[in-house]
Amino acid sequence: MGLLRKSCVLLIVLLLFGCAKKAAPEDAIEFDKSAAQQNQEADALENEELVITDKVAYVFKNVLYGCASYKNEGKTSLLLSEAEFSFSYAGRVFESTVAPVSGESDIVLPGETAYCTLWLPVDAALDSSEPELAVKLKAKPATKPRLELGVADARLIENYPGFATLSGKLFNPGTVVCELNMVYAGFYDKDGALLGVWYFTRNALLKPGDAVAFVVHLRPLPIKDLALNTAQIRMRAFGL
């Protein structure tokens, strides 16, 4: 009877030891999965970057104006969540952090270029010298598709003293009705340098296949000889 009891105890110990040894590989596999997930998240964060491709700044009376073009160099569609503008001007630094005016609708696909702008009123005496501009961007993954719109016949003329007028035609090539629409225009010179950026909303019901004309006066963007020096207008439009 004693021998049987000892055999049973030995068998239980062996079974427990065997189970303990089996648990180690399972824990290791779970650890490996966690590490892989962490690497994937790190890669995703690394790819969720909007890279500044060009920028320019001006002084308009008591307003500092800055704009930048940025490119999605990652592998996923992104949204600009925050833009930090820092102007160095006349020995002072003027900073402002803003959210994009287009909210959750300006979705930037991999490889695409988009724009951000800022008009910053200041309480300082400003002359006509150009400020230095630094821009930092924060992005987040997009969770919905973009309501793509197109622009045709874009034209920039200076038929008023001191500012230009932008005209063109906005059309809906998609399958979704758009009621409020955002349009960005980037103005470039003959060498491909960014001269300025303008944006506006067009309140118009655009059913699939519809088109509507627009004319906007660029009064808050009095860049000298803008129309004369603009060799290319790059348009970006989408529904809100």
Side-chain angles (χ1 to χ4, degrees):
M1 189 73 178
L3 181 60
L4 178 61
R5 183 177 299 173
K6 289 181 179 180
S7 299
C8 291
V9 171
L10 180 60
L11 179 60
I12 292 172
V13 171
L14 290 174
L15 288 173
L16 290 174
F17 182 74
C19 291
K21 290 190 70 175
K22 288 180 179 179
E26 292 177 356
D27 290 343
I29 292 172
E30 186 64 30
F31 178 80
D32 290 341
K33 287 182 179 179
S34 177
Q37 291 173 354
Q38 290 177 358
N39 289 336
Q40 290 174 358
E41 292 174 358
D43 290 340
L45 290 173
E46 182 179 343
N47 289 327
E48 288 172 10
E49 292 185 354
L50 301 178
V51 178
I52 300 293
T53 55
D54 206 348
K55 59 187 177 181
V56 67
Y58 300 96
V59 172
F60 303 140
K61 293 185 179 180
N62 67 324
V63 174
L64 291 170
Y65 167 83
C67 65
S69 60
Y70 58 88
K71 184 178 180 181
N72 180 0
E73 293 191 348
K75 299 179 180 179
T76 59
S77 298
L78 299 175
L79 285 168
L80 176 65
S81 58
E82 185 179 279
E84 178 184 322
F85 288 78
S86 179
F87 299 89
S88 298
Y89 179 82
R92 296 178 59 183
V93 175
F94 302 87
E95 296 181 334
S96 181
T97 300
V98 295
V101 294
S102 48
E104 300 290 312
S105 300
D106 191 0
I107 298 163
V108 188
L109 303 181
E112 283 190 331
T113 296
Y115 302 101
C116 59
T117 62
L118 175 67
W119 282 261
L120 180 63
V122 296
D123 58 353
L126 304 179
D127 56 35
S128 58
S129 60
E130 292 186 2
E132 295 183 4
L133 174 63
V135 182
K136 295 181 181 178
L137 305 178
K138 290 185 180 179
K140 62 182 180 180
T143 58
K144 64 178 183 180
R146 182 177 63 206
L147 298 180
E148 184 73 31
L149 297 176
V151 177
D153 304 327
R155 186 184 180 194
L156 187 67
I157 59 174
E158 293 194 23
N159 52 353
Y160 294 93
F163 64 90
T165 298
L166 177 66
S167 61
K169 183 180 296 184
L170 183 66
F171 63 91
N172 184 359
T175 59
V176 179
V177 176
C178 297
E179 297 182 7
L180 182 60
N181 314 291
M182 176 70 72
V183 182
Y184 278 88
F187 307 110
Y188 292 82
D189 66 13
K190 60 182 179 59
D191 298 318
L194 182 65
L195 296 174
V197 172
W198 177 263
Y199 70 85
F200 64 96
T201 57
R202 183 67 166 91
N203 188 3
L205 181 65
L206 287 176
K207 298 178 181 178
D210 282 356
V212 62
F214 63 83
V215 177
V216 289
H217 301 306
L218 279 58
R219 292 179 185 271
L221 193 67
I223 300 174
K224 185 178 180 181
D225 296 327
L226 178 60
L228 178 64
N229 294 324
T230 296
Q232 184 182 18
I233 306 174
R234 301 178 190 176
M235 308 294 297
R236 177 177 177 81
F238 46 90
L240 298 176

